[in-house]
């Protein structure tokens, strides 16, 4: 590990998803210096991988990329990507954070993002940006609109053939890079650590992740994204265009049997949205949503849901109990329709999307003494008046780090957290 | 449909569960391996109970077609324990179908049942102890009285079951003489085949149940036909009666042990919510198997004249007396008949729909 570098800022933001970026921009605009720390190689968070957003059906990357560009070019915002926060300590002057900047094995200041290394690399890997659907190289820029446009070399998969080093015009491949330890002193912290979706393995009745044509909701987002892995909607097992697609709602939330009793708030709406997009890209396909109740609570959501019904998307009130597959990997759902004289039945679909719930991405808060709620999300200390406040003074929170919520709510909360942070910075002026 | 708003409160007295948590997603019915086209449960039963449709539940066969594998309870998103609810319904229905009302009383006040069983056991043992005559003769008379008493109890139950599920709805006597139906009913009664429909991971439960059932039935045959005379004959190891007793004892002890172990460990859903009457049931079963075996072995070793054999035999008969008087007519014992009957009546309803059934209208019933 190389020698310690030290940085000082007013506000340290953990996470650079839509919540982190919005808070960074707002605090930066107010005249304070901000550092964002992001564990993945690009800023943008989960939102940059989405296809469109509900209920307006705006293109998600068209909203996210301007924010990414703005925050990366902002004079008072600095981002450390591919960096993990080790620990944060509260001191008399504020907070002291220790972060580890992981090696990209590329000299960042030299790289001109020409992608020659990526083209020459002979090793193909599962692309985590496409949630396993697409393929990337062992050295590659994470995705087209990633910021920064720097390649990352996967040390564990690289075969050390030096093909990339030979073609690099700037000679900036450095196989000997080491992780860097960085110290950051900040007066306030904003936790915008975001969420993970419930793992595919969470419910063994749903195949436990073994059924190839049962895909996650984020995989479905990628299939539907304009720059997605296949360029069109195909099912994973054989590349067939699926004629019937089903959505299984509450596949990872509102389910006490897997320990996640809360509602994840977004699954109904993203399923409705994806169903609408699907019926646009596959007009001949049958799309069915199996639900317990549709929770269309936000502004314009109910109209959005009604519009989906009017478009011919089938809504079936039934909790899917079991998912299996036949020899052709068609997916079989076992349900009990709740109608007069209903009987348990099996229905077959070409492809099934699990509408998974939202789990907190970070549960330990880097050693900070932060109160959690019973499901490990950050607890607001004043949930009714100042939702961005946490139990520790100077630490604020925004977005899905403090509970499942949709994008508009996340952005509002990020603005609120920024406002609280700025007020705090003013009050503790040193 | 008539609803009884207090129905749920009534049922709750028969077991620990909270179906008010249920939001009717239908997961239980869809996940159930036994739920089928003509028997869709447990969701409907829960819904009926929530709205208080007492008559619908009391005329339903579904509770008897559930073998409590517990998959519904395991996967219930609300942890409302639908499997335990079905079990509770079976207790409620036994109480409801008992014309004397004593079963219901025992279910609600299990300690009274425990005291009565202990009391009858102690009383008979005391009476046997002071009895001066030939105890073998007395035992023969007692065992002769058993079948009469048991038959009366069963007949009352079976008739009420039939009346509630068929007669009250159809308003006529319906009987199926279909060979395949009778065959299926017998197979279910003898093998409890439905257990195999439950999750394949839980074979032990089926085997334990089958052991206990076969062992118990054998004991019943042995005692009711008065096959054993341990105070008159000296049995050897090669006697056929010895073989019967040993099998019955082994089956009851092994099966009973597995059942008690599972109830104590609470590993499976089906054994996590023992009602205290369930405990009395398995413990008494266990005692019957145990005492019968002990009497037989001591007879083989000590000979029929030994006073110790007579002592043990008196204990054995006293246990049987308590069992026959309290357990058989007023507990879940009757499920031996209700389970296969439910299979028969379910097929009968199917045949009725096809119109190939013997039916006899009852004058005056409309």
């Amino acid at each position: 590990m190389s020698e310690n570098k030290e940085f000082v800022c007013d506000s340290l933001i953990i996470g650079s998803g839509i919540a982190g970026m919005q808070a960074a921009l707002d605090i930066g605009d107010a005249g304070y210096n901000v550092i964002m720390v992001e564990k993945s190689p690009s800023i943008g968070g989960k939102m940059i991988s989405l296809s469109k957003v509900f209920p307006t059906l705006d293109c998600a990357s068209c909203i996210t990329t301007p924010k990414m560009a703005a925050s990366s070019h902002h004079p008072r915002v600095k981002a450390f990507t591919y960096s993990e926060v080790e620990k944060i300590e509260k001191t008399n002057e504020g907070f002291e954070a220790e972060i580890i900047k992981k090696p990209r094995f590329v000299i960042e200041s030299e790289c001109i993002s020409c992608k020659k290394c990526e083209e020459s690399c002979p090793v193909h890997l599962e692309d985590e940006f496409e949630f396993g659907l697409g393929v990337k190289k062992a050295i590659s820029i994470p995705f087209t609109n990633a910021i920064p446009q720097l390649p990352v070399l996967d040390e564990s998969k690289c075969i050390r053939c030096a093909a990339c080093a030979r073609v690099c015009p700037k000679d900036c491949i450095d196989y000997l890079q080491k992780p860097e330890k960085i110290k950051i002193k900040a007066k306030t912290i904003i936790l915008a650590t975001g969420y993970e979706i419930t793992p595919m393995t969470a419910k063994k009745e749903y195949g436990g992740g073994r059924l190839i044509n049962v895909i996650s909701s984020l995989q479905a987002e990628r299939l539907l994204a304009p720059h997605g892995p296949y360029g069109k909607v195909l099912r994973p097992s054989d590349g067939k265009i699926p004629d019937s697609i089903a959505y299984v709602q509450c596949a990872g939330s509102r389910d006490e049997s897997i320990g996640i009793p809360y509602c994840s708030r977004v699954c109904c709406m993203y399923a409705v949205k994806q169903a609408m997009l699907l019926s646009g890209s596959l007009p001949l396909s049958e799309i069915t949503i199996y639900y317990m109740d549709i929770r269309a609570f936000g502004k314009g959501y109910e109209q959005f849901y009604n519009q989906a019904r009017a478009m011919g998307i089938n809504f079936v009130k039934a909790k899917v109990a079991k998912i299996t597959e036949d020899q052709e990997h068609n997916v079989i759902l076992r349900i009990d329709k709740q109608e007069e004289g209903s009987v348990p039945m099996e229905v077959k679909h070409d492809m099934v999307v699990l509408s998974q719930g939202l789990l907190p991405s970070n549960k330990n808060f880097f050693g900070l003494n932060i109160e959690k709620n019973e499901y490990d999300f950050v607890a607001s200390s004043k949930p009714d008046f100042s939702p961005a406040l946490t139990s520790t003074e100077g630490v604020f929170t925004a977005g899905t780090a403090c509970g499942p919520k949709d994008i508009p709510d996340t952005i509002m909360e990020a603005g609120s957290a920024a406002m609280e942070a700025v007020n705090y910075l003013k009050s503790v002026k040193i | 449909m008539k609803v009884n708003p207090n129905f749920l409160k009534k049922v709750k007295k028969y077991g620990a569960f909270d179906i008010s948590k249920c939001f009717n997603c239908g997961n239980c019915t869809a996940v159930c391996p036994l739920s089928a086209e003509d028997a869709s449960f447990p969701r409907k039963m829960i819904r009926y109970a929530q709205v208080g449709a007492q008559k619908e539940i009391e005329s339903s066969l579904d509770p008897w077609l559930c073998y409590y594998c517990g998959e519904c309870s395991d996967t219930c998103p609300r942890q409302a324990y639908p499997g335990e609810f079905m079990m509770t319904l079976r207790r409620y229905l036994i109480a409801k179908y008992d014309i004397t009302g004593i079963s219901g009383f025992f279910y609600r006040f299990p300690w009274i049942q425990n005291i009565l069983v202990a009391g009858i056991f102690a009383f008979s043992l005391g009476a046997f102890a002071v009895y001066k005559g030939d105890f073998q003769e007395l035992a023969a008379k007692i065992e002769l009285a058993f079948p009469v008493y048991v038959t009366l109890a069963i007949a009352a139950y079976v008739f009420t079951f039939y009346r509630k599920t068929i007669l009250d709805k159809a308003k006529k006597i319906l009987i199926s003489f279909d060979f395949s139906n009778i065959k299926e009913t017998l197979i279910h009664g003898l093998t409890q085949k439905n257990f195999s429909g439950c999750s394949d991971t839980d074979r032990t439960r089926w085997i334990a149940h089958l052991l206990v059932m076969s062992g118990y039935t054998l004991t019943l045959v042995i005692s009711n036909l008065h096959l054993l005379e341990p105070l008159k004959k000296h049995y050897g190891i090669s006697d056929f009666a010895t073989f019967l007793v040993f099998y019955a004892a082994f089956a009851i002890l092994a099966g009973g042990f597995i059942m008690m172990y599972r109830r104590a460990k609470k590993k499976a859903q089906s054994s996590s919510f023992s009602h205290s009457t369930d405990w009395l049931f398995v413990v008494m079963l266990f005692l019957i198997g145990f005492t019968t075996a002990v009497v037989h072995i001591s007879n083989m070793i000590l000979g029929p004249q030994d006073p110790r054999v007579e002592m043990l035999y008196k204990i054995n008969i006293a246990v049987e007396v308590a069992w026959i008087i309290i357990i058989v007519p007023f507990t879940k014992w009757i499920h031996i008949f209700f389970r296969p009957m439910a299979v028969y009546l379910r097929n009968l309803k199917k045949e009725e729909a096809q119109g190939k059934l013997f039916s006899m209208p009852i004058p005056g019933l409309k």
Side-chain angles (χ1 to χ4, degrees):
Chain A
M1 210 151 318
S2 61
E3 80 287 9
N4 283 359
K5 286 183 185 167
E6 235 184 78
F7 292 85
V8 178
C9 66
D10 293 312
S11 194
L12 173 65
I13 299 179
I14 324 276
S16 70
I18 188 64
M21 290 191 297
Q22 184 63 47
L25 288 171
D26 287 352
I27 297 173
D29 286 349
Y32 292 96
N33 293 318
V34 180
I35 291 180
M36 283 196 293
V37 181
E38 170 59 50
K39 66 172 182 238
S40 38
S42 166
I43 60 171
K46 290 268 191 314
M47 189 179 168
I48 189 63
S49 56
L50 303 184
S51 54
K52 304 221 161 139
V53 293
F54 57 81
T56 51
L57 291 186
D58 286 322
C59 154
S61 41
C62 311
I63 306 174
T64 322
T65 30
K67 296 263 184 214
M68 288 162 71
S71 52
S72 66
H73 291 127
H74 199 287
R76 282 183 292 280
V77 178
K78 181 171 174 58
F80 286 107
T81 51
Y82 211 38
S83 305
E84 303 255 11
V85 178
E86 281 288 285
K87 60 171 190 230
I88 303 178
E89 270 171 17
K90 200 169 159 66
T91 62
N92 290 335
E93 288 101 64
F95 299 91
E96 220 175 275
E98 218 176 270
I99 66 172
I100 304 283
K101 194 169 184 310
K102 291 179 275 183
R104 282 187 160 90
F105 302 101
V106 170
I107 300 166
E108 296 177 12
S109 53
E110 291 292 309
C111 175
I112 53 166
S113 320
C114 67
K115 283 193 163 195
K116 285 238 164 83
C117 53
E118 190 172 334
E119 283 155 20
S120 70
C121 179
V123 182
H124 290 82
L125 301 177
E126 246 180 38
D127 189 349
E128 64 262 27
F129 180 72
E130 308 288 0
F131 301 102
L133 289 182
V135 161
K136 68 163 189 180
K137 297 288 187 66
I139 181 163
S140 59
I141 292 176
F143 51 95
T144 8
N145 37 13
I147 293 180
Q149 279 281 313
L150 292 172
V152 177
L153 185 139
D154 186 337
E155 189 192 12
S156 62
K157 302 282 163 55
C158 169
I159 55 169
R160 315 288 197 270
C161 66
C164 50
R166 275 194 293 275
V167 296
C168 179
K170 297 282 284 180
D171 205 10
C172 62
I173 309 286
D174 176 6
Y175 293 108
L176 302 173
Q177 263 184 8
K178 292 271 180 296
E180 261 179 273
K181 212 178 226 178
I182 295 171
K183 263 202 178 134
I184 300 175
K185 282 185 174 163
K187 296 195 186 80
T188 63
I189 307 272
I190 292 182
L191 296 170
T193 43
Y195 68 93
E196 297 297 332
I197 52 170
T198 322
M200 295 290 275
T201 47
K203 210 165 156 63
K204 69 174 184 354
E205 287 75 25
Y206 289 177
R210 278 174 290 104
L211 309 176
I212 183 164
N213 286 326
V214 176
I215 64 171
S216 77
S217 44
L218 284 175
Q219 284 177 321
E221 288 290 340
R222 292 312 301 157
L223 285 181
L224 288 161
H227 48 296
Y230 310 144
K232 55 162 98 175
V233 179
L234 304 172
R235 71 172 191 176
S237 73
D238 49 9
K240 181 187 150 186
I241 293 176
D243 288 330
S244 77
I245 301 165
Y247 279 82
V248 175
Q249 294 309 107
C250 299
S253 47
R254 292 183 77 196
D255 192 339
E256 286 185 27
S257 72
I258 56 170
I260 308 170
Y262 56 84
C263 166
S264 289
R265 289 172 53 114
V266 290
C267 325
C268 282
M269 295 314 293
Y270 74 59
V272 169
K273 171 200 76 184
Q274 289 184 5
M276 270 190 184
L277 296 176
L278 275 173
S279 55
S281 53
L282 306 173
L284 296 178
S285 294
E286 285 265 345
I287 299 152
T288 313
I289 295 182
Y290 297 94
Y291 68 99
M292 303 206 287
D293 347 76
I294 292 292
R295 294 190 162 173
F297 56 91
K299 185 172 146 194
Y301 290 5
E302 184 72 17
Q303 290 91 320
F304 192 65
Y305 164 53
N306 287 334
Q307 194 187 334
R309 285 201 105 107
M311 282 170 77
I313 291 155
N314 303 315
F315 286 84
V316 176
K317 184 166 166 59
K319 164 103 181 153
V320 173
K322 250 183 199 168
I323 305 181
T324 48
E325 62 177 13
D326 66 7
Q327 284 178 333
E328 280 91 49
H329 298 295
N330 297 316
V331 189
I332 300 162
L333 308 180
R334 208 173 138 86
I335 57 160
D336 173 34
K337 274 196 194 184
Q338 287 155 55
E339 292 159 3
E340 180 63 32
S342 75
V343 294
M345 58 194 280
E346 289 189 337
V347 274
K348 204 186 265 189
H349 294 282
D350 288 343
M351 188 168 85
V352 164
V353 183
L354 297 187
S355 290
Q356 292 138 305
L358 270 49
L359 306 178
S361 171
N362 188 291
K363 294 175 185 174
N364 58 29
F365 313 123
F366 324 105
L368 277 172
N369 182 24
I370 301 282
E371 243 172 64
K372 298 187 268 188
N373 73 8
E374 55 185 313
Y375 311 117
D376 290 337
F377 289 102
V378 181
S380 293
S381 59
K382 286 185 185 158
D384 31 11
F385 291 116
S386 311
L389 295 188
T390 69
S391 56
T392 300
E393 209 190 332
V395 181
F396 307 95
T397 181
T400 44
C402 55
K405 57 180 64 74
D406 55 28
I407 293 167
D409 285 3
T410 297
I411 292 175
M412 276 195 281
E413 211 172 71
S416 148
M419 204 65 198
E420 300 275 9
V422 167
N423 281 341
Y424 179 79
L425 285 168
K426 279 195 172 143
S427 68
V428 296
K429 212 157 202 151
I430 303 154
Chain B
M1 192 193 282
K2 226 168 124 183
V3 295
N4 175 2
N6 294 321
F7 180 65
L8 200 54
K9 237 192 258 167
K10 260 168 61 181
V11 179
K12 268 190 180 161
K13 289 180 186 150
Y14 293 85
F17 65 92
D18 188 10
I19 54 156
S20 51
K21 280 182 115 185
C22 166
F23 54 33
N24 266 272
C25 66
N27 181 76
C28 45
T29 303
V31 86
C32 175
L34 293 174
S35 183
E37 255 168 54
D38 55 339
S40 163
F41 56 82
R43 185 185 70 83
K44 280 184 186 166
M45 286 293 120
I46 295 177
R47 193 78 194 124
Y48 283 144
Q50 281 178 334
V51 300
Q54 182 173 355
K55 218 176 160 192
E56 304 294 324
I57 286 185
E58 282 171 11
S59 65
S60 172
L61 298 171
D62 295 350
W64 304 104
L65 298 168
C66 158
Y67 276 67
Y68 203 169
C69 62
E71 220 169 309
C72 52
S73 293
D74 276 335
T75 58
C76 174
R78 294 287 291 165
Q79 299 283 282
Y81 299 106
E84 185 53 23
F85 175 66
M86 294 298 275
M87 185 69 230
T88 308
L89 272 189
R90 287 192 284 277
R91 290 189 200 116
Y92 169 79
L93 289 177
I94 286 177
K96 202 72 201 171
Y97 296 162
D98 177 11
I99 46 171
T100 64
I102 295 174
S103 313
F105 182 72
F106 281 166
Y107 272 128
R108 275 172 286 143
F109 306 101
W111 54 277
I112 293 184
Q113 189 183 16
N114 295 346
I115 291 174
L116 275 176
V117 166
I120 289 179
F121 170 75
F123 175 79
S124 345
L125 200 60
F128 296 160
V130 295
Y131 182 70
K132 290 282 172 281
D134 181 356
F135 186 68
Q136 189 63 73
E137 288 294 315
L138 181 69
K141 278 183 193 137
I142 291 171
E143 290 194 328
L144 199 67
F146 285 170
V148 180
Y149 180 75
V150 171
T151 311
L152 272 176
I154 296 171
Y157 265 118
V158 165
F159 175 71
T160 325
F161 188 63
Y162 184 78
R163 182 170 65 82
K164 289 269 190 188
T165 53
I166 302 290
L167 221 49
D168 282 356
K169 263 199 235 161
K171 307 289 180 205
K172 54 191 170 194
I173 296 174
L174 298 172
I175 301 170
S176 160
F177 292 112
D178 186 65
F179 176 68
S180 62
N181 185 6
I182 293 165
K183 196 176 90 180
E184 199 187 327
T185 306
L186 284 177
I187 288 175
H188 275 282
L190 292 175
T191 66
Q192 288 103 47
K193 209 175 82 182
N194 265 348
F195 269 123
S196 65
C198 284
S199 55
D200 45 5
T201 46
D202 209 358
R203 293 246 142 176
T204 359
R205 201 170 141 242
W206 184 21
I207 292 167
H209 193 272
L210 208 56
L211 278 173
V212 166
M213 199 275 306
S214 61
Y216 173 68
T217 315
L218 198 59
T219 320
L220 206 68
V221 170
I222 294 170
S223 66
N224 282 5
L225 298 180
H226 201 57
L227 290 179
L228 288 178
E229 294 185 310
L231 303 185
K232 279 222 174 92
K233 286 186 204 148
H234 190 181
Y235 293 100
I237 190 79
S238 53
D239 283 340
F240 186 58
T242 306
F243 168 72
L244 290 183
V245 170
F246 277 7
Y247 172 77
F250 162 76
I252 291 180
L253 292 183
F257 179 76
I258 298 173
M259 283 179 171
M260 288 203 268
Y261 178 79
R262 288 168 63 96
R263 282 197 185 276
K265 280 271 162 195
K266 304 186 177 190
K267 252 176 87 184
Q269 279 290 352
S270 53
S271 37
S272 340
F273 292 92
S274 301
H275 196 267
S276 67
T277 57
D278 296 332
W279 275 109
L280 183 68
F281 193 85
V282 270
V283 169
M284 285 298 283
L285 248 180
F286 198 85
L287 281 179
I288 288 185
F290 183 69
T291 51
T292 312
V294 166
V295 168
H296 203 80
I297 292 169
S298 60
N299 166 282
M300 283 161 61
I301 299 170
L302 304 168
Q305 305 304 334
D306 197 295
R308 282 172 289 177
V309 177
E310 191 174 328
M311 251 285 292
L312 291 168
Y313 189 48
K314 282 175 178 171
I315 294 175
N316 174 234
I317 297 291
V319 170
E320 279 185 16
V321 168
W323 170 267
I324 295 280
I325 292 182
I326 300 291
I327 309 282
V328 172
F330 306 120
T331 67
K332 69 176 184 182
W333 184 90
I334 193 66
H335 77 282
I336 301 180
F337 285 85
F338 282 178
R339 289 230 182 251
M341 243 182 104
V343 173
Y344 174 81
L345 295 178
R346 172 194 187 178
N347 286 338
L348 180 142
K349 282 186 176 177
K350 248 190 266 179
E351 286 166 43
E352 188 198 8
Q354 291 160 2
K356 51 174 193 178
L357 209 60
F358 171 84
S359 75
M360 193 171 76
I362 308 169
L365 246 186
K366 207 171 174 263

